[in-house]
Amino acid sequence: MSRDEHTSESAAADADDQRLVLPDELRHELKGPMGPIETDADVLLEEVSGPLITVGDVVTYHILQAGRHPDVALVDEQTKRQTVDEEIREVVTDATHLEAINPPAEITADVVDALLEGLEREEPTTILVDGEEDLVVLPAILAAPDGASVVYGQPDEGMVHVTVTEDVREDVRALLERFKGDATWLWAALDA
């Protein structure tokens, strides 16, 4: 094996080590909302007092239409596993600043790194995810400061508003500990 082949093989192994995979037995636990559901973006925004992270194209679209730019928005040009309408796609990807790869049912180091970079920026940041952004709600809750809002879509119901507290973070940590894979890289990234 050549040195280059070994190096690329090591990089692939590292990438596999730096991801968490949602086990089938946890899927049902993630179906329920983690906070109150709101259908009106203006009403939801009345409850937002700190940084705002949106996860999902339709949620991000409604928040933007209500006149607020999320501090960090994660979008993947999909809703309910279908391509979003062209108008929504254009609005939510208009100011894409970062891109990340995150396959469905996974949380990768790539998307967590992009999330953390977005949170450090002073200007609103949109992250276009190649794959699926749904599970990024979990590291977003862990990375956001106390009092921040993480908003994501609950299919056919509305927008879930999670206000970040230490109790919510503890629940999310416990969930992530049950994912397949070694979460050491995630805890290290979030402590940095």
Side-chain angles (χ1 to χ4, degrees):
M1 177 182 300
S2 76
R3 183 173 166 209
D4 289 341
E5 288 174 316
H6 181 70
T7 302
S8 65
E9 205 171 275
S10 294
D14 288 347
D16 283 345
D17 289 345
Q18 294 192 331
R19 67 187 180 109
L20 296 176
V21 179
L22 176 65
D24 288 339
E25 62 270 14
L26 265 186
R27 288 180 188 272
H28 70 282
E29 290 185 45
L30 294 175
K31 294 274 188 223
M34 297 176 70
I37 297 175
E38 181 55 63
T39 57
D40 185 321
D42 291 313
V43 172
L44 185 148
L45 287 169
E46 290 173 8
E47 300 298 317
V48 173
S49 59
L52 173 62
I53 301 168
T54 59
V55 179
D57 296 66
V58 175
V59 166
T60 301
Y61 175 80
H62 287 298
I63 296 296
L64 287 167
Q65 293 300 99
R68 171 77 191 260
H69 284 270
D71 295 281
V72 177
L74 292 112
V75 298
D76 64 3
E77 300 180 331
Q78 300 276 313
T79 184
K80 296 191 267 184
R81 306 213 190 284
Q82 302 290 320
T83 302
V84 293
D85 294 340
E86 187 62 23
E87 177 189 350
I88 293 174
R89 190 193 67 73
E90 286 179 10
V91 168
V92 301
T93 62
D94 179 51
T96 297
H97 300 94
L98 300 171
E99 294 184 9
I101 296 172
N102 194 69
E106 293 187 12
I107 300 170
T108 63
D110 191 40
V111 79
V112 170
D113 289 345
L115 168 68
L116 294 174
E117 183 178 336
L119 286 168
E120 288 177 10
R121 291 175 169 215
E122 296 205 11
E123 72 277 357
T125 301
T126 298
I127 302 167
L128 179 59
V129 177
D130 180 357
E132 193 173 270
E133 89 292 83
D134 300 9
L135 290 177
V136 186
V137 164
L138 301 174
I141 290 169
L142 295 180
D146 281 344
S149 293
V150 177
V151 179
Y152 67 93
Q154 187 76 7
D156 302 318
E157 291 187 52
M159 297 171 281
V160 179
H161 180 196
V162 180
T163 302
V164 177
T165 65
E166 193 52 43
D167 286 345
V168 172
R169 279 196 205 97
E170 284 178 26
D171 291 344
V172 168
R173 278 188 202 103
L175 263 177
L176 286 169
E177 287 286 356
R178 296 167 58 201
F179 274 52
K180 294 178 184 172
D182 182 355
T184 306
W185 64 269
L186 178 60
W187 309 140
L190 294 171
D191 284 343

